[in-house]
Amino acid sequence: MALSVENQPPVVVVMGVSGVGKTTVAQLLADRLGVPCAEADDFHPPANIAKMSAGIPLDDADRLPWLQAIGGWLAERKAAGTGGVVTCSALKRRYRDTLRAYCPDTFFLHLSGTPGLVGDRLSHRTGHFMPRSLLDSQYAALEPLGPDERGTVLDVGPAPRALADRAADLLRPTEPR
């Protein structure tokens, strides 16, 4: 039995600045929804990782192939009917537009926190190529979701499990009345 578009599992981008908990929440959300999960960092070419590791922000030319690869992953999950959750900073509207060009009904879950809270989290994180020094540039680049964009904003104060539960509740289809 084929699922109708309305009943297909969602395709979701968990977005926000580095350190808000995208990976943790995305994995928990994917588990709750029973869909595949991917980490946007895995889509970066080595040159991008080297640049960020050196403390140099990426420019739009660096980001385009990365966003296209993520958009392709979303489109593949949608076409397969599996749904999926992927992390991606998606800080600017035009980056989200690139992702939507591949998968128009993508839902954006924007995890948001204060610079103090997120900076503290980053300062305690080890083994990641994104340095704390680039956080201010990410907040400067951040363009909040527009009212015409499919998605929601969740404050990262609550525990990741609570955030994933809330997001799953928002994404599950409601029963017809």
Side-chain angles (χ1 to χ4, degrees):
M1 176 173 145
L3 289 173
S4 70
V5 172
E6 297 83 31
N7 294 332
Q8 285 187 350
V11 284
V12 181
V13 172
V14 179
M15 63 170 280
V17 299
S18 188
V20 292
K22 293 184 296 289
T23 300
T24 301
V25 172
Q27 290 169 342
L28 291 166
L29 178 59
D31 287 347
R32 279 161 180 71
L33 297 173
V35 301
C37 187
E39 168 60 51
D41 290 344
D42 295 339
F43 293 85
H44 275 299
N48 284 8
I49 293 172
K51 199 170 182 179
M52 289 183 287
S53 295
I56 302 167
L58 300 179
D59 60 28
D60 286 351
D62 298 322
R63 285 187 190 92
L64 184 58
W66 173 66
L67 291 167
Q68 291 170 330
I70 295 167
W73 186 89
L74 290 164
E76 289 168 5
R77 302 293 81 69
K78 181 68 176 175
T82 64
V85 177
V86 65
T87 63
C88 179
S89 53
L91 299 177
K92 294 185 179 184
R93 170 73 184 242
R94 68 178 169 267
Y95 305 158
R96 297 187 297 272
D97 288 345
T98 298
L99 298 173
R100 271 191 296 273
Y102 286 85
C103 190
D105 61 346
T106 298
F107 184 92
F108 290 88
L109 177 62
H110 177 189
L111 300 181
S112 179
T114 66
L117 172 67
V118 175
D120 183 60
R121 287 181 178 183
L122 276 178
S123 67
H124 293 96
R125 185 161 81 173
T126 58
H128 194 273
F129 58 81
M130 177 70 177
R132 162 77 176 89
S133 61
L134 292 181
L135 183 60
D136 289 341
S137 71
Q138 287 204 329
Y139 273 105
L142 178 62
E143 296 172 2
L145 290 173
D148 62 328
E149 292 185 271
R150 188 166 179 261
T152 195
V153 179
L154 294 180
D155 183 289
V156 296
R161 289 186 191 286
L163 294 171
D165 288 343
R166 175 73 179 121
D169 289 346
L170 290 170
L171 289 160
R172 284 194 185 101
T174 56
E175 294 296 318
R177 296 180 194 254

